Amino acid sequence: MRDRVREALAAVSAAAAEFAESTTNYDRLIETVARCGAKVLSATCSVALVGEDGTTITPIAVYDEDPAIYARTQTMLSARPLNTTLHTTFAPTIGTLFVPQLDLEVMRPKLSEAGVSFMEDVGVHSMIAVLLRVRGESLGLLTMMRHRKDLPAFDDLDREITEHLANLAGLALANARLFGRAQVAEHALLQTELLDAIIENIPDMVFVKEADTLSFVRFNRAGELLLGVPREQLIGKSDNDFFPPEEARFFIAKDRETLNKRMLVDIVEEPIHTAQGPRWLHTKKVPILDAAGQPRFLLGISEDITDRKLDIAALRAAKEQAEVSSRELETFSYSVAHDLRAPLRAISGFGGALLEDYGDKLDEQGKSYLERIKVSVHRMGALIDALLKLSQVTRIGPQLQSLDLGNLFRHALATLQHADPDRVIDVVVGGDLAAIGDPVLLSIVLDNLCSNAWKFTSKSPRAPRIELGVEQQGTERVYFIRDNGVGFEMKYVDKLFGVFQRLHTEREFPGTGIGLATVQRIIQRHRGRVWATGEVGAGATFYFTLG
């Protein structure tokens, strides 16, 4: 007997140590109590907890050292509900139920159906149940059930050991619950402090109003700075206390709309008077509802968009002024180019007359000078025509319709071939070249790009080749014209589309330097973009999109 007591004390002491180690983890502690109880008394141990109503108990953890029985206990736990009434099993003044010889028929009214089924299945023949009480409060129930036929029924020592374990377990569970509540409270405090810090550091004005009175109950630092009023003077007041009547009525109407609809209201532009003067806000108002779905508070978040609004207005004014200046410049350029035709015709006419009437009196150098004047006049005329076309392209809006770029491409090359019938060009057209655009303006684009390709392949040692195609780049359809001519160095690519910008001399390849500028203007009028790639001796590719 003495040895048995010594072993029991050692087992209880070990269990107490394990309880202490698990105190910070409430769920793990419950499982530890069940496991230690089963080990101390070589029995099935069940831990049930009292519900929030203070009367029902529900098994939470069950353990047995026999794997088969342990598996059966887990099945019992999963077969909810397992609730039974505390005072059905125990009178208020009884803390221990000691049943050395179990009669299930007698116990059936005091146990749940799942509990009775379990006891029948495993052959429970002895039982001890002890309330887990701490400072007069019932936390749960510790139950020992012996089913092994090689072990005797529970005796008084087993009862005392169970009661001792129940006292230790009850204290540990109470401490663990207190610890858990403290952690929850600390976490809630940290969450509150974090939320406060976030609201205080949001750069937009954040305010909260009480739903019934629409009085302010909270303001953040940004709100104070925007309104120029300390929050102490704002709390408990309403819009009527700070803003002009018309503004206050507007704010209150939007508040009521938000609360009545129980949904977010977005006010894109909201004028407001502040200590800094008039400002414009973008405000979103959100109803805060209680558990019953009734509005308790109104949350408002206001972004100061005054600077953005002023910037947009300034940008719009600058754009309008730029458009006016551009139209004036285009008109001026057109007038200048048009007016240059008359003196140019005079120069050409008198130069021709001089050569015709006095050519026999001029030496070869004089005739050479007149020939140079004739060539320069011709080039000046071409430049004036190009400028007039560029000005016309800028002023005319595109008339959009469905078209086939392949047809425009073939027509442009046919015109070039007609002017130079001896050249043999490999022409390639591929892909779906359907597009939406102005056929007249896009004809000018294809004429200029094909003319460049025709010109810059004229001195290529390889058989000249000009290709029109289309490819998909992301979400864009990109058209391209590719040649295998002289190409260009990519470091000069930014100069390609400038007026009068040329990468080759007039002697190498004649031209006005306006063609690609015209192409860019037309593509931009179609809300597209144009760019090029090239390599010296390997040709060039011009890409463009149509918006």
Side-chain angles (χ1 to χ4, degrees):
M1 180 66 176
R2 185 174 298 173
D3 291 340
R4 186 179 167 207
V5 171
R6 187 182 301 111
E7 291 174 0
L9 289 175
V12 170
S13 177
E18 290 202 49
F19 293 171
E21 290 178 1
S22 303
T23 301
T24 57
N25 188 322
Y26 191 75
D27 294 333
R28 196 178 86 184
L29 175 61
I30 295 172
E31 294 176 356
T32 299
V33 171
R35 178 172 50 78
C36 291
K39 183 177 180 181
V40 170
L41 289 186
S42 298
T44 301
C45 181
S46 167
V47 180
L49 297 181
V50 175
E52 293 184 1
D53 60 4
T55 61
T56 59
I57 53 174
T58 302
I60 302 299
V62 183
Y63 190 83
D64 194 287
E65 292 187 308
D66 183 332
I69 302 300
Y70 178 65
R72 178 67 180 85
T73 66
Q74 298 309 303
T75 302
M76 182 183 72
L77 278 181
S78 63
R80 301 299 176 97
L82 295 172
N83 291 0
T84 187
T85 304
L86 182 64
H87 287 180
T88 299
T89 307
F90 291 92
T93 57
I94 298 176
T96 302
L97 180 65
F98 179 34
V99 187
Q101 297 297 327
L102 180 65
D103 185 341
L104 280 178
E105 293 306 316
V106 174
M107 292 298 300
R108 189 180 295 275
K110 299 178 180 294
L111 301 173
S112 66
E113 291 183 10
V116 171
S117 176
F118 171 77
M119 291 181 180
E120 288 178 336
D121 288 349
V122 302
V124 175
H125 59 80
S126 188
M127 184 178 77
I128 304 172
V130 181
L131 282 176
L132 301 174
R133 276 183 175 173
V134 178
R135 293 178 288 275
E137 179 185 3
S138 295
L139 304 180
L141 187 66
L142 180 67
T143 304
M144 300 292 185
M145 295 170 283
R146 178 161 287 172
H147 58 82
R148 287 176 53 181
K149 296 193 173 31
D150 59 327
L151 294 177
F154 289 134
D155 57 17
D156 286 336
L157 178 58
D158 295 322
R159 177 183 53 76
E160 291 179 11
I161 292 172
T162 303
E163 290 174 344
H164 193 40
L165 275 175
N167 288 335
L168 294 173
L171 287 171
L173 288 171
N175 290 336
R177 191 165 64 177
L178 288 173
F179 181 81
R181 289 173 178 171
Q183 281 189 315
V184 170
E186 181 181 5
H187 180 70
L189 179 60
L190 289 174
Q191 291 290 91
T192 302
E193 291 176 349
L194 176 61
L195 181 60
D196 289 342
I198 291 173
I199 292 175
E200 279 301 293
N201 288 281
I202 288 177
D204 299 331
M205 177 171 71
V206 178
F207 59 88
V208 179
K209 293 180 179 180
E210 200 276 330
D212 291 333
T213 63
L214 294 181
S215 58
F216 294 107
V217 296
R218 178 151 191 176
F219 252 96
N220 70 342
R221 186 183 300 114
E224 285 185 300
L225 295 175
L226 176 65
L227 299 181
V229 181
R231 73 184 76 185
E232 292 78 12
Q233 296 181 23
L234 294 165
I235 302 303
K237 304 293 181 60
S238 70
D239 293 320
N240 290 317
D241 297 312
F242 299 100
F243 303 109
E246 186 175 349
E247 275 186 21
R249 282 194 294 272
F250 176 80
F251 297 154
I252 292 171
K254 289 298 181 181
D255 290 345
R256 290 302 177 198
E257 178 185 351
T258 303
L259 296 171
N260 291 335
K261 290 183 176 180
R262 291 171 171 77
M263 61 184 296
L264 179 145
V265 170
D266 191 356
I267 308 164
V268 178
E269 287 190 358
E270 184 178 53
I272 185 172
H273 281 81
T274 72
Q276 308 172 52
R279 308 295 292 178
W280 286 86
L281 305 180
H282 177 191
T283 298
K284 294 182 178 181
K285 295 183 175 182
V286 183
I288 307 300
L289 309 179
D290 61 17
Q294 296 301 313
R296 288 289 307 281
F297 299 99
L298 179 136
L299 169 66
I301 303 175
S302 298
E303 178 188 5
D304 187 348
I305 60 170
T306 307
D307 293 340
R308 186 194 311 165
K309 189 176 176 65
L310 293 175
D311 290 343
I312 291 173
L315 183 62
R316 185 183 296 113
K319 181 175 179 292
E320 292 173 354
Q321 182 59 46
E323 289 174 349
V324 170
S325 299
S326 177
R327 287 194 294 270
E328 291 176 350
L329 181 59
E330 289 165 7
T331 301
F332 174 75
S333 299
Y334 181 82
S335 299
V336 169
H338 186 271
D339 292 346
L340 284 176
R341 284 182 177 275
L344 194 62
R345 283 196 297 269
I347 294 171
S348 178
F350 281 113
L354 181 62
L355 185 62
E356 183 180 346
D357 296 341
Y358 298 96
D360 57 341
K361 298 179 181 180
L362 296 174
D363 58 14
E364 291 301 319
Q365 188 164 359
K367 293 178 180 179
S368 175
Y369 289 159
L370 284 176
E371 189 63 31
R372 289 186 182 183
I373 291 173
K374 180 181 177 181
V375 170
S376 295
V377 167
H378 179 75
R379 174 163 172 74
M380 186 66 177
L383 287 173
I384 290 173
D385 289 341
L387 281 173
L388 288 173
K389 181 178 288 186
L390 179 62
S391 176
Q392 185 181 26
V393 163
T394 304
R395 289 184 290 114
I396 297 175
Q399 304 299 311
L400 302 181
Q401 64 184 62
S402 299
L403 50 85
D404 187 342
L405 291 179
N407 292 336
L408 301 183
F409 176 73
R410 294 184 187 93
H411 183 270
L413 286 177
T415 302
L416 293 167
Q417 188 73 66
H418 181 75
D420 190 1
D422 295 332
R423 285 197 67 190
V424 178
I425 298 286
D426 182 16
V427 176
V428 179
V429 181
D432 179 9
L433 297 168
I436 302 294
D438 186 308
V440 175
L441 295 179
L442 290 181
S443 292
I444 296 173
V445 169
L446 271 297
D447 287 345
N448 277 285
L449 294 179
C450 288
S451 177
N452 275 358
W454 186 277
K455 176 169 56 179
F456 292 118
T457 56
S458 62
K459 297 180 181 180
S460 174
R462 299 185 299 274
R465 183 175 189 272
I466 302 176
E467 175 187 1
L468 171 66
V470 61
E471 60 188 34
Q472 194 72 26
Q473 295 184 8
T475 58
E476 286 187 309
R477 281 172 56 83
V478 179
Y479 305 95
F480 63 86
I481 290 182
R482 180 176 293 127
D483 66 66
N484 63 346
V486 297
F488 61 90
E489 292 187 44
M490 284 298 292
K491 65 180 180 180
Y492 300 121
V493 70
D494 292 338
K495 300 175 64 176
L496 283 178
F497 298 98
V499 178
F500 301 132
Q501 295 290 332
R502 293 174 50 82
L503 302 186
H504 303 277
T505 64
E506 177 73 16
R507 182 173 298 177
E508 287 181 293
F509 298 100
T512 62
I514 297 177
L516 289 180
T518 303
V519 167
Q520 186 181 56
R521 294 282 183 90
I522 292 174
I523 295 301
Q524 288 175 343
R525 296 302 295 272
H526 282 75
R527 299 180 182 275
R529 56 195 181 93
V530 60
W531 68 98
T533 60
E535 182 180 348
V536 175
T541 304
F542 286 82
Y543 301 90
F544 63 92
T545 63
L546 301 172

